[in-house]
Amino acid sequence: MELRRLVRGRVSWSRLEDVARELARRYDRDTLHIRFLEADNWLSTPMVVNDEWFVKVISKQNSLVHALFTTGRNLGAFSSGTEGFFEHFGTPYQMAEHELEATAKLREIGLNAPKPIEVFEVDGLGVLVLEYLPDFHTLDTAPEEEVNELAGDLFGALRQMHDNHLAHGDLRAENVLVRDDGIYFIDATNVNDEGMYDARSYDLACALAALEPLIGAKASVEAAGATYEKEDLVSAVDFLDFVNIRPDHDFDAGALKGEIDKQAA
């Protein structure tokens, strides 16, 4: 546990107070109500401010962890027979700036994502401000019946990203928010243009990996097959073993491969 705390890096209270003061100044508020989230997030300190804004505070330590994660993911991509396609940004401000831009791009192509507000820097900390979305639950906490209903929407949205030369890069069930008006995407990561084709296959593998524990391999592959071609599903197979070694995915890769083989036959 101490190692996890060290690697994650805790932003001191005095520095967080500096961020809060800057938020109050920028948004002309005398007082702020700040609620820190207990999410196991290694890449930022997330908080909800006045139930209006979702704020991520990114430190140099978070940037270092992101660099380590990026290296590990690219090594995993190499093990799948492709060149690495994940990119790292050098500073906390650049990390925050990328997420703001990625969120804006998702909205530009018609997908649901929080409204991007701004990025600024305080004492070397990158601060990302997005719209706060109330009244949601994540896909991994949804009942099986609801996940089955949403699986087609998930792959349809993913295909919309890919058709617009975008990739999510870190698709997990907890990065898909479910609201009354549909699904929302958060925490898109950075993928370079040269690796976009492989990144799409990786996205598809991640989506299958996210759904399989919730609705089973057969339903997951059938939902994907309604949107993607057989060749796309076969390309995703190359990344399933890589996704399976990630600690934030737990699924039956063999069952998914078997169902994809049946689809491709």
Side-chain angles (χ1 to χ4, degrees), residues 33 35 48-53 132 134:
H33 177 266
R35 173 163 51 92
V48 176
V49 180
N50 283 16
D51 286 332
E52 294 182 59
W53 306 294
Y132 173 61

Side-chain angles (χ1 to χ4, degrees), residues 178-194:
V178 182
R179 303 185 73 211
D180 289 342
D181 57 345
I183 58 175
Y184 283 69
F185 293 93
I186 60 171
D187 289 352
T189 191
N190 190 45
V191 172
N192 62 48
D193 288 339
E194 292 78 9

Side-chain angles (χ1 to χ4, degrees), residues 214-265:
L214 305 177
I215 59 175
K218 187 174 187 295
S220 301
V221 173
E222 286 179 349
T227 300
Y228 284 88
E229 304 297 329
K230 294 178 181 179
E231 293 79 7
D232 297 320
L233 296 177
V234 171
S235 295
V237 168
D238 293 336
F239 290 96
L240 285 174
D241 288 333
F242 165 35
V243 176
N244 205 24
I245 64 175
R246 289 184 51 167
D248 47 8
H249 279 284
D250 184 13
F251 66 100
D252 190 337
L256 285 173
K257 290 177 183 179
E259 290 297 330
I260 291 173
D261 285 343
K262 293 177 186 177
Q263 287 270 350

Side-chain angles (χ1 to χ4, degrees), residues 1-261:
M1 180 62 71
E2 291 304 317
L3 176 61
R4 287 169 65 87
R5 289 175 179 170
L6 175 65
V7 173
R8 282 188 62 180
R10 297 288 184 177
V11 180
S12 69
W13 187 249
S14 63
R15 298 181 79 195
L16 290 174
E17 286 180 330
D18 289 341
V19 171
R21 279 190 285 269
E22 180 61 15
L23 285 166
R25 186 191 70 80
R26 284 173 175 267
Y27 302 129
D28 193 25
R29 301 299 173 90
D30 293 330
T31 60
L32 295 177
H33 177 266
I34 296 176
R35 173 163 51 92
F36 291 96
L37 302 182
E38 294 299 324
D40 189 17
N41 195 330
W42 296 64
L43 302 179
S44 68
T45 299
M47 55 190 184
V48 176
V49 180
N50 283 16
D51 286 332
E52 294 182 59
W53 306 294
F54 177 65
V55 177
K56 287 186 176 182
V57 180
I58 303 172
S59 68
K60 290 182 179 178
Q61 185 76 358
N62 296 140
S63 178
L64 173 61
V65 172
H66 184 264
L68 294 173
F69 282 4
T70 300
T71 299
R73 288 172 180 174
N74 281 330
L75 288 173
F78 292 142
S79 73
S80 300
T82 66
E83 293 189 12
F85 42 79
F86 297 102
E87 288 189 336
H88 170 65
F89 291 95
T91 68
Y93 179 86
Q94 290 171 336
M95 283 180 60
E97 186 177 46
H98 163 72
E99 186 166 344
L100 188 86
E101 293 173 352
T103 304
K105 288 178 181 177
L106 293 179
R107 289 171 60 92
E108 286 171 6
I109 65 171
L111 295 180
N112 291 330
K115 180 181 178 181
I117 307 296
E118 67 168 330
V119 169
F120 59 90
E121 189 172 20
V122 176
D123 188 26
L125 298 169
V127 183
L128 167 69
V129 185
L130 303 171
E131 166 194 21
Y132 173 61
L133 298 174
D135 303 323
F136 72 84
H137 57 276
T138 55
L139 190 64
D140 57 325
T141 64
E144 183 176 348
E145 181 181 356
E146 184 178 36
V147 179
N148 269 305
E149 293 174 354
L150 293 171
D153 294 341
L154 175 63
F155 287 111
L158 197 62
R159 182 63 185 263
Q160 192 170 337
M161 281 187 217
H162 296 166
D163 288 347
N164 283 275
H165 202 67
L166 298 176
H168 188 283
D170 191 24
L171 191 62
R172 293 172 283 134
E174 54 264 43
N175 285 342
V176 180
L177 310 184
V178 182
R179 303 185 73 211
D180 289 342
D181 57 345
I183 58 175
Y184 283 69
F185 293 93
I186 60 171
D187 289 352
T189 191
N190 190 45
V191 172
N192 62 48
D193 288 339
E194 292 78 9
M196 188 59 67
Y197 177 82
D198 291 326
R200 292 167 181 161
S201 298
Y202 176 76
D203 268 356
L204 184 52
C206 286
L208 290 166
L211 287 177
E212 189 278 331
L214 305 177
I215 59 175
K218 187 174 187 295
S220 301
V221 173
E222 286 179 349
T227 300
Y228 284 88
E229 304 297 329
K230 294 178 181 179
E231 293 79 7
D232 297 320
L233 296 177
V234 171
S235 295
V237 168
D238 293 336
F239 290 96
L240 285 174
D241 288 333
F242 165 35
V243 176
N244 205 24
I245 64 175
R246 289 184 51 167
D248 47 8
H249 279 284
D250 184 13
F251 66 100
D252 190 337
L256 285 173
K257 290 177 183 179
E259 290 297 330
I260 291 173
D261 285 343

